[in-house]
Amino acid sequence: MPTVQAVLPVEGMTCASCVASVERALGGVPGVVEAHVNLASEKATVRHLANLDAGALRRAVEGAGYAVPQLDEGLDPLEQDAQKKRRAYLALRNKVAWGAALTAPIFALMYWETLGLDALVAIPHQLNFVLQLLLVLPVQFWAGAQFYRNAWLAAKHRTTDMNTLVAVGTSAAFAYSVLATFFPELFHAEGLSLHVYYDTSAIIVVLILLGRLLEMRAKGQTSQAIKALIGLQPKTARVVRGGAEAEVPLTALQVGDRIVVRPGEKVPVDGVVVEGRSAVDEAMITGEPLPVEKGAGDPVTGGTVNKTGAFTFKAEKVGRDTALAQIVRLVEQAQGSKPPIAKLADRVASVFVPVVLGIAALTVAAWLLWGPEPAVTYALLNAVAVLIIACPCALGLATPTSIMVGMGRGAAHGVLVRDAQALELAHTLDAVVLDKTGTGTPRRPAQTDVAAVGGVAEDEVLGRDERGSEHPLAEAVVEGARARGLEPEKAQDFDAVPGHGIRATVARGGASRRVLLGNRALMEREGVDLVALDGRLDALAEAGKTPMLIAVDGALAGALAVADPVKPEATGAIARLRALGLEVVMLTGD
């Protein structure tokens, strides 16, 4: 039976043990072939049989104590996700800020006499302890409430996670301090002074929350690459319905809709042109700097930019089926994939918490059996130390977060990594192969060569007017002329020939001259003899340049060549790669 892949958002995960719990729950659903959960992206990728009820996956996650948020079908899922994460970030930031504000005076009270503050205000020990208790209560049970909530959910399902360690460790320190505050005689011993550990409880809660805040901020930054890809697509489309054009949101488009695209607008979805002609910039898909001529029957891709004319096309793929949506999905899957080292961390975390709890229990038993008096005090303090020091939330966060950051930074610079394993293996590379077009080049053509024939000067060839054309090749010619200090002549009767070039009339010395500028097909159609430049044209084409021919009054006058030059920063990057001992190959042909 065929399998399909589903991606579920999962809320409530905080550590690698949570990941293991969700993966076990999903893996136990009949029909699930494979389940991977990524803590950094908060998503579960599940491959299952095609006949599996999607609701079973949701119930499995919720049964494990975690939530699968419902998305509003009428809104952009990425925008909903961004809003949810923004609210969560602000809420966590408030908890960290208030927790830190309350923890600072706890430390001041803890070291009141050491700092010499008792000379200003003398505070009895009992009152000092009570003040610390009042300050730590909101930190322990408001800011740290999520640790108790998640630990309880884990306990209900007969498992443990990092929240269990935090909750047990800080609660032990808090409970010991409360007993020491109100029942000091329980811990009295000869030569020992009574201590409370409210500061320990508070600072652990605040520091772990701060770590999660920084992690949440890093995850938010890595999603910018996906947002940039989504930004390539317009929010609305101009659809012909009932004989009239109507602006509708992209989510309302249907297969078969006829959509009008005007000059300068982005193509909203994938489809086929049914009416009109234009040149479309497809650099975001192919990297090619030159627009592609489109006419009836030609395909267009969502996210590409219409340059010149207007056209109408029929939508064939909408929503998640468009090429751009598939690219976004590949980036998300890559960011959510697990390298081998992350899978090792998950296996370690699945047994780590129970082992730590066992060691803490043995610590208590050892101090009670063989420790000096007060044995209870020493037993509790050392057990708390074991629980707190052994709380390695970084075990579940460091690897997935670094993968997300690495892939996010790469995507922001145009580098898409196929999966996390490829990123982990990157240090073994010994060669790098680059596609020149769009990778090492700015995707903006520039004039490179000028050739004149029949006694015409190069400046004469370059000075012919292209200012009436919006084509990037025309812009390159104009810029090349101005770089030589020339101002192209003003043309009259300008006529663009789609897919071929331009016709224009140029007045000089009281006479009007008919000028053609375009490709070989235009010249052959107009009967211009190209023998004088045949060899030169082939050489330019072989060098990866685009030749444009110029004819004046039906006679060949010369040729111009434009190309997509290598970017200076690309040259520097290649030099750095070679300095690292890597072989770099740049492909320039098809």
Side-chain angles (χ1 to χ4, degrees), residues 16 18 42 67 102 105 128 154 169 212 222 235 243 247 261 270 275 333 383 431 449 453 459 482 504 516 533 546 585:
C18 301
E42 296 181 319
L102 293 169
N128 186 306
R212 293 186 178 179
T222 58
K235 300 295 183 184
E247 192 110 350
V261 183
D270 300 355
E275 184 182 339
Q333 290 174 3
D449 298 82
V453 297
D459 285 358
R482 287 173 177 164
L516 293 175
L533 281 177
T546 301
V585 179

Side-chain angles (χ1 to χ4, degrees), residues 73 88 110-111 150 162 187 191 482 536:
E73 296 295 336
M110 185 73 185
Y111 299 100
N150 293 328
M162 299 304 175
F187 304 98
R482 287 173 177 164
R536 184 69 183 273

Side-chain angles (χ1 to χ4, degrees), residues 350-504:
S350 64
V351 298
F352 185 83
V353 177
V355 169
V356 169
L357 291 175
I359 293 173
L362 290 175
T363 301
V364 171
W367 279 98
L368 289 176
L369 291 174
W370 300 296
E373 291 298 330
V376 174
T377 300
Y378 287 124
L380 287 176
L381 288 178
N382 286 286
V384 169
V386 169
L387 292 171
I388 290 170
I389 293 172
C391 183
C393 287
L395 184 67
L397 296 176
T399 299
T401 302
S402 62
I403 291 295
M404 282 195 71
V405 170
M407 289 184 170
R409 292 291 296 170
H413 289 83
V415 179
L416 300 183
V417 182
R418 181 179 180 183
D419 55 34
Q421 184 172 1
L423 190 64
E424 183 179 331
L425 295 175
H427 73 283
T428 64
L429 293 177
D430 52 24
V432 177
V433 180
L434 302 174
D435 177 15
K436 177 184 176 184
T437 303
T439 302
T441 61
R443 299 195 305 216
R444 180 181 175 83
Q447 180 217 305
T448 58
D449 298 82
V450 181
V453 297
V456 179
E458 287 188 357
D459 285 358
E460 285 283 315
V461 174
L462 199 54
R464 300 304 177 187
D465 187 54
E466 276 258 13
R467 285 179 296 174
S469 175
E470 299 173 347
H471 200 287
L473 293 183
E475 295 174 2
V477 172
V478 172
E479 289 178 4
R482 287 173 177 164
R484 292 196 180 195
L486 302 173
E487 186 62 33
E489 299 171 356
K490 182 64 180 175
Q492 300 172 345
D493 302 328
F494 187 93
D495 180 27
V497 184
H500 291 77
I502 61 170
R503 300 188 189 94

Side-chain angles (χ1 to χ4, degrees), residues 305-356:
V305 181
N306 182 28
K307 299 293 288 185
T308 53
F311 63 88
T312 301
F313 75 97
K314 183 175 72 173
E316 291 196 332
K317 293 182 179 179
V318 300
R320 293 178 59 85
D321 296 328
T322 65
L324 183 58
Q326 292 177 35
I327 293 173
V328 171
R329 194 153 56 247
L330 286 174
V331 174
E332 288 179 331
Q333 290 174 3
Q335 288 188 335
S337 61
K338 283 186 183 179
I341 189 65
K343 295 177 182 177
L344 174 62
D346 288 346
R347 288 197 298 271
V348 171
S350 64
V351 298
F352 185 83
V353 177
V355 169
V356 169

Side-chain angles (χ1 to χ4, degrees), residues 169-255:
T170 58
S171 296
F174 177 81
Y176 169 84
S177 300
V178 170
L179 289 174
T181 299
F182 296 106
F183 306 100
E185 64 277 2
L186 294 176
F187 304 98
H188 179 73
E190 190 70 28
L192 290 179
S193 58
L194 189 65
H195 291 282
V196 293
Y197 297 93
Y198 295 120
D199 58 327
T200 303
S201 172
I203 196 62
I204 288 171
V205 169
V206 171
L207 286 179
I208 293 179
L209 289 179
L210 177 62
R212 293 186 178 179
L213 181 70
L214 295 175
E215 171 229 340
M216 190 179 292
R217 183 171 178 269
K219 289 193 293 186
Q221 290 174 339
T222 58
S223 65
Q224 294 301 316
I226 295 177
K227 289 181 182 178
L229 287 172
I230 293 294
L232 295 174
Q233 199 170 37
K235 300 295 183 184
T236 60
R238 193 176 292 104
V239 181
V240 179
R241 290 177 178 171
E245 294 182 11
E247 192 110 350
V248 301
L250 223 58
T251 53
L253 290 182
Q254 301 175 1
V255 173

